[in-house]
Amino acid sequence: MKGSELDLFLSIGYFRMQQEVFTCQYIVFNDTLCPVHWLRLALANVTFGPKQSRLFRINEPFSVTVKPFVLTQEVEALYALYKRSVDFDAPLSVEFWLLNGALKSGFDTYAIEVRDGSRLIAVGIFDNGETSIAGIMNFYHPDYRKQSLGKYLMLLKINHARSQQKRYYYPGYLVSYYPKFDYKLFPCEAATEVFDENTGRWVPFSWETVDAMATFKLEQQ
């Protein structure tokens, strides 16, 4: 799924999982039904403030490369270190999350690699559409946790997408009553839009809007 076909599915609230696309409206956390809200950033409206500029500054010593994604032992080894360091359920491996045994990918996938000298310290994986990109994975070496490399990779994806004249960056979803996904608002909340499944439209993000959508979804149950 590439080009305008990927753009279309992203625009109606679908996202990649392995070699398919899916959507959902809820997840269950601690036996509580939590509404899901799909997000995108309108890239023309993105502006970086002091917090974002600080990440560019503190990570300036590292080298950054954007290239077509190739699954390597180096990438899997870095992900394994990352997975052991986090306190949430993460995919088994990069191969599992992207391919799940498939020999060839149906997506046009790229990687942003961040290196400290020759040492690979962070990888951000995204799928490339005609007018948009979808952020699929971000992971980093736990020794560099203070560098906020996960958020830094989001900023790098935005800059790359803008350099390619894309219109939208889709980072995934956030979840009502489950703040672990709220970091997806970090790049630029003012440029973030949320998908309204009831109308099929993207609307400017606000917590008031999201709370109203969550209430509506729960009332439908």
Side-chain angles (χ1 to χ4, degrees):
M1 185 172 296
K2 305 174 182 179
S4 60
E5 185 180 14
L6 178 63
D7 295 336
L8 174 61
F9 276 95
L10 291 170
S11 73
I12 56 175
Y14 280 74
F15 211 74
R16 175 186 179 178
M17 180 183 289
Q18 297 169 340
Q19 286 297 293
E20 299 178 350
V21 293
F22 81 105
T23 192
C24 66
Q25 295 189 28
Y26 310 91
I27 65 170
V28 177
F29 177 68
N30 286 343
D31 297 322
T32 300
L33 194 64
C34 301
V36 162
H37 309 282
W38 294 97
L39 304 176
R40 73 181 183 186
L41 283 88
L43 295 174
N45 299 332
V46 171
T47 58
F48 294 144
K51 292 182 180 179
Q52 293 78 19
S53 297
R54 174 182 175 273
L55 291 193
F56 283 111
R57 184 172 66 254
I58 66 174
N59 293 311
E60 188 175 4
F62 306 138
S63 62
V64 175
T65 305
V66 183
K67 60 185 182 181
F69 175 72
V70 177
L71 183 62
T72 64
Q73 290 184 348
E74 183 184 35
V75 168
E76 286 285 23
L78 176 62
Y79 179 76
L81 287 173
Y82 169 79
K83 186 177 186 301
R84 289 197 294 268
S85 73
V86 298
D87 61 354
F88 55 87
D89 290 334
L92 294 175
S93 65
V94 178
E95 189 280 334
F96 171 80
W97 194 242
L98 297 183
L99 298 170
N100 193 24
L103 298 179
K104 184 178 180 180
S105 176
F107 295 83
D108 186 19
T109 305
Y110 280 73
I112 298 178
E113 293 187 352
V114 182
R115 292 182 180 270
D116 184 2
S118 61
R119 186 187 197 188
L120 183 66
I121 63 171
V123 176
I125 298 171
F126 65 92
D127 287 333
N128 193 42
E130 186 174 312
T131 62
S132 59
I133 69 167
I136 306 302
M137 299 183 79
N138 290 329
F139 50 94
Y140 53 85
H141 198 294
D143 288 353
Y144 295 79
R145 187 181 303 276
K146 292 183 178 180
Q147 304 300 122
S148 297
L149 291 175
K151 292 179 177 176
Y152 179 53
L153 286 166
M154 294 181 72
L155 303 182
L156 292 175
K157 288 177 182 179
I158 287 171
N159 275 353
H160 172 76
R162 293 201 289 193
S163 75
Q164 300 300 305
Q165 289 78 51
K166 307 294 187 186
R167 294 182 62 191
Y168 298 110
Y169 164 47
Y170 293 81
Y173 57 64
L174 58 75
V175 182
S176 292
Y177 322 124
Y178 186 58
K180 189 173 288 291
F181 293 97
D182 290 0
Y183 72 89
K184 293 175 184 177
L185 298 171
F186 172 79
C188 183
E189 186 171 320
T192 302
E193 299 175 347
V194 58
F195 186 62
D196 184 351
E197 293 96 342
N198 189 45
T199 64
R201 296 180 178 179
W202 291 87
V203 298
F205 175 88
S206 73
W207 285 111
E208 291 79 8
T209 297
V210 163
D211 290 344
M213 289 179 175
T215 299
F216 179 80
K217 288 182 180 183
L218 292 174
E219 287 175 347
Q220 306 311 302
Q221 294 301 299

